[in-house]
Amino acid sequence: MTKTKRKNIVAGNWKMNKDYSQGRNLVKDIVANIQSPDVTIILCTPFIHLYNAHVKTNDIAMLFIGAQNCHQEESGAFTGEVSASMIKSTGAQYVILGHSERRAYFNESDELIGQKVKTAIANDLHPIFCCGESLEVRESKKHKALVEEQVKNALFHLSAEDFSKIVIAYEPVWAIGTGKTASPEQAQEMHQHIRKLIEKKYGDKIADATSILYGGSVKPANAKEIFAKADVDGGLIGGASLKADDFIAIINSFS
Ligand code: PGA
């Protein structure tokens, strides 16, 4: 399979960082310094920034805005929650679903994440679906089986047409925010495994077109060698997406 057929993507996951004025400044700094690369860029911000980030980046063709979660229901009495259609109405086009922090701290199961995926797609959002194993699971060598289960349980109910709207992010939990990255070989091995699963279920055309991102302590210093692997199509960036210089350096590591 060649790499050229699918999109390279660098997505920033701001997590629960940046108040309104800090977020505006970060968007401003990114816009001022971006060099129209041949990479799709997605800023996944807290909800309060979505609209402003969309308005301020709307004329950059390769840059899109995303949220970090949505509710599985369309609307209703769910105090404090935000729906997929609300996210869409801000101009955002993506939503991160199934991040390991949501699985761990908010008890999100594969089944719930699968419902959110469905609702997001029904509202014309592209899910950035996260999967990945803990250190314990990797050490017991069950990481491939676990990721396989996560992908199958949350995504394989989708039609081929809907599946083609998904971006996948492989994020080993032990590499998130720890400064410890998977080696490029470990990332490649898992990405290839995921692509094969997709191929088996949806065929090689869809498998070949699905962007699979790596996430977990990606920095300007290590992005290039990770992104160079055949099945790694970019990254989901946490800490390093909070500084415009670092984020742009990671984007530029594709050139
Ligand atoms: P990190 O986070 O880059 O800070 O490790 C990645 C993520 O959780 O998406």
Side-chain angles (χ1 to χ4, degrees):
M1 290 184 199
T2 59
K3 227 180 147 161
T4 46
K5 286 189 201 155
R6 50 186 175 262
K7 274 189 208 161
N8 287 322
I9 299 176
V10 175
N13 175 10
W14 292 11
K15 308 193 180 185
M16 196 174 73
N17 293 295
K18 306 289 179 190
D19 68 18
Y20 192 63
S21 98
Q22 291 167 337
R24 279 172 59 128
N25 287 337
L26 179 52
V27 170
K28 226 188 257 171
D29 286 349
I30 292 170
V31 168
N33 292 294
I34 218 149
Q35 299 155 4
S36 60
D38 190 22
V39 178
T40 296
I41 301 156
I42 308 168
L43 306 180
C44 296
T45 75
F47 295 123
I48 63 158
H49 299 299
L50 292 175
Y51 179 68
N52 174 67
H54 165 67
V55 169
K56 295 289 160 50
T57 59
N58 205 15
D59 55 352
I60 304 176
M62 298 293 281
L63 198 156
F64 301 90
I65 305 303
Q68 301 168 18
N69 180 35
C70 71
H71 197 271
Q72 65 274 21
E73 298 294 339
E74 291 289 344
S75 65
F78 301 102
T79 301
E81 290 294 317
V82 173
S83 73
S85 68
M86 291 172 188
I87 293 167
K88 184 70 190 180
S89 73
T90 66
Q93 311 233 32
Y94 289 83
V95 59
I96 295 174
L97 292 173
H99 191 279
S100 62
E101 287 151 17
R102 296 218 54 97
R103 293 176 189 263
Y105 308 140
F106 301 93
N107 294 319
E108 292 198 4
S109 63
D110 289 344
E111 192 198 350
L112 177 69
I113 296 159
Q115 289 168 8
K116 292 186 177 199
V117 164
K118 228 172 156 179
T119 306
I121 291 175
N123 286 280
D124 203 19
L125 289 171
H126 295 275
I128 302 173
F129 170 78
C130 301
C131 54
E133 80 287 354
S134 64
L135 187 58
E136 199 187 350
V137 170
R138 177 159 285 262
E139 282 174 347
S140 63
K141 303 209 182 328
K142 295 193 178 118
H143 47 290
K144 280 193 181 169
L146 180 103
V147 168
E148 181 165 340
E149 213 172 281
Q150 290 174 331
V151 170
K152 283 184 174 167
N153 291 346
L155 299 181
F156 281 7
H157 57 88
L158 296 172
S159 66
E161 191 192 340
D162 283 349
F163 186 87
S164 57
K165 296 168 185 158
I166 301 272
V167 174
I168 293 184
Y170 167 58
E171 299 202 307
V173 178
W174 47 273
I176 295 178
T178 58
K180 221 174 155 182
T181 35
S183 68
E185 291 70 31
Q186 285 172 322
Q188 168 59 22
E189 183 190 35
M190 186 64 87
H191 285 223
Q192 192 176 42
H193 178 57
I194 295 169
R195 201 176 305 285
K196 282 200 177 129
L197 295 173
I198 301 169
E199 189 180 349
K200 235 176 169 178
K201 170 80 181 169
Y202 294 105
D204 57 352
K205 266 209 186 102
I206 288 181
D208 201 20
T210 303
S211 296
I212 307 178
L213 315 182
Y214 168 80
S217 298
V218 177
K219 308 281 178 225
N222 60 25
K224 205 177 181 112
E225 60 168 348
I226 298 172
F227 296 170
K229 288 292 177 189
D231 288 288
V232 180
D233 308 308
L236 179 56
I237 320 298
S241 74
L242 298 173
K243 284 192 199 144
D245 288 355
D246 285 354
F247 189 59
I248 286 169
I250 291 170
I251 295 165
N252 291 342
S253 66
F254 268 112
S255 55

